[in-house]
Amino acid sequence: MAIQKKDVKKEIFSYLLVILGSALFAVGDVMFVNPYHLAPGGTYGLSNVLNTVWPWRISYYAICMDIPLLLIGTWILGPRFGIKTVLSTILIFFFTWLLETVWGYDPVVFIGQVADGRPADLTSWMDIPHGGGWFMPDFVVNTLLAGIIYGLAIGLIFKGGATSGGSDIISMILHKYTKISLGTLVMIVDGCITLSTLIAFKQIRLPIYSILIIVIESYMIDLIVDGLRTDKTVFIVTDRYEAIREFILNDLHRGGTMILGQGLYQGKGRHMIYCNLSRADFVKLKGNLRLLDPGAFVNVVNSSEIMGQGFRSIPEE
């Protein structure tokens, strides 16, 4: 009974993450990305371009692409898109539509006012030349905030168990038939969407800032999904394995695995210690390695997630 209650709470929390992430995505798109004519990939990136060239709501453009893509993806790839992905698609559409209705397409990040203290005319603000007038856009600040908000939004959606869907479905379908890596195809599809800003608006800075949003967004997604903690995975090839073994067990209070191998050059038997350590423990080990075995060969790998005893618990699902 207790396990069932825990599962229900966990499921409710995951849906709350999807709802919050969907709302933040709409905020980032309507208030930060669209007013600056940016398109950081995805169906909403393309919708931003279409919205400016042929005025129609971003939400309408996006939902007209997302729903067919989900149906086509399900038909070609099978039932890979769960209820949370469908829910996220609908929620992003709703929150985007709501912000378009209540807020409009005015930017949040802008500098300057007209003489009487009123905000500058936002209908033509992109055309104001650098250094002229009272009003100037700030692309750097806006790009930074847009990337953070986008990354936080998508990270929460991923954390809640949903997927982005949208243009990623195109990449999945192409991957099925071309066998090109999925990561490469995602970059190609999103890259084409990003470059559409250059074609539509003839400004080279727009795809550049759009790419910067994607970079910042990716770091934020990793931060939300994996967290700040980065543990170390250490492989130590040593002849003095007993001394290092005792130090790891007694001083660091960690475990590990002893692997017996053979050197390629001389063919001699060698011992390799495989061990996972926190940053603090790794610093202690590194500081004592010269005393334990100055001739040791050490390979250190950053591990974003380690599950098991002494680290994160293995998830129930």
Side-chain angles (χ1 to χ4, degrees), residues 8 29 114 119 125 127 138 150 177 187 202 241 268 280:
V8 170
D29 191 70
V114 294
W125 69 277
D127 300 323
D138 192 321
Y150 254 32
Y177 294 106
M187 289 178 62
K202 305 298 189 295
Y241 57 90
K268 293 182 178 180

Side-chain angles (χ1 to χ4, degrees), residues 21-292:
S22 301
L24 281 175
F25 185 93
V27 169
D29 191 70
V30 176
M31 295 183 173
F32 294 89
V33 173
N34 177 268
Y36 277 72
H37 299 175
L38 304 175
T43 54
Y44 277 83
L46 184 56
S47 297
N48 288 328
V49 177
L50 295 173
N51 164 263
T52 307
V53 177
W54 298 294
W56 198 36
R57 292 200 175 201
I58 303 168
S59 54
Y60 294 163
Y61 275 121
I63 201 67
C64 285
M65 289 184 277
D66 282 340
I67 296 300
L69 283 173
L70 281 172
L71 294 175
I72 293 170
T74 302
W75 175 49
I76 295 177
L77 303 172
R80 299 173 60 177
F81 311 103
I83 184 65
K84 290 179 183 177
T85 295
V86 176
L87 175 64
S88 175
T89 300
I90 296 172
L91 286 173
I92 292 175
F93 162 77
F94 170 73
F95 286 124
T96 302
W97 175 87
L98 183 64
L99 281 175
E100 289 174 302
T101 303
V102 176
W103 176 267
Y105 301 108
D106 295 342
V108 173
V109 177
F110 63 92
I111 300 173
Q113 292 179 324
V114 294
D116 61 0
R118 293 181 293 104
D121 180 12
L122 298 177
T123 59
S124 61
W125 69 277
M126 286 287 290
D127 300 323
I128 299 175
H130 182 71
W134 289 85
F135 178 74
M136 276 301 301
D138 192 321
F139 273 89
V140 176
V141 173
N142 183 80
T143 297
L144 178 62
L145 291 175
I148 291 173
I149 294 172
Y150 254 32
L152 181 60
I154 298 174
L156 290 174
I157 291 172
F158 285 172
K159 197 82 170 175
T163 57
S164 56
S167 63
D168 289 349
I169 298 174
I170 300 175
S171 303
M172 294 177 190
I173 294 173
L174 291 174
H175 173 67
K176 179 177 180 179
Y177 294 106
T178 65
K179 303 305 178 183
I180 300 173
S181 72
L182 187 58
T184 300
L185 288 170
V186 169
M187 289 178 62
I188 292 172
V189 173
D190 284 345
C192 291
I193 294 172
T194 297
L195 287 174
S196 67
T197 57
L198 177 61
I199 298 171
F201 308 119
K202 305 298 189 295
Q203 294 187 41
I204 188 63
R205 64 181 175 181
L206 298 181
I208 292 174
Y209 281 113
S210 296
I211 292 170
L212 284 175
I213 289 178
I214 295 174
V215 172
I216 297 169
E217 170 192 328
S218 65
Y219 278 105
M220 282 300 299
I221 292 172
D222 289 342
L223 181 63
I224 297 300
V225 175
D226 297 327
L228 284 170
R229 182 172 176 176
T230 301
D231 296 307
K232 304 289 185 180
T233 297
V234 183
F235 299 88
I236 308 171
V237 180
T238 175
D239 290 326
R240 302 181 183 178
Y241 57 90
E242 281 296 342
I244 296 178
R245 173 182 175 276
E246 290 297 322
F247 181 82
I248 292 173
L249 291 174
N250 299 325
D251 292 78
L252 301 183
H253 304 289
R254 291 287 185 181
T257 301
M258 185 77 74
I259 302 172
L260 297 177
Q262 189 178 47
L264 287 179
Y265 183 65
Q266 295 181 333
K268 293 182 178 180
R270 302 297 299 272
H271 289 80
M272 182 172 69
I273 297 174
Y274 163 76
C275 186
N276 294 307
L277 302 170
S278 66
R279 285 182 181 178
D281 288 339
F282 172 70
V283 171
K284 294 177 184 176
L285 175 63
K286 187 176 179 181
N288 286 273
L289 266 177
R290 181 165 290 277
L291 296 175
L292 297 169

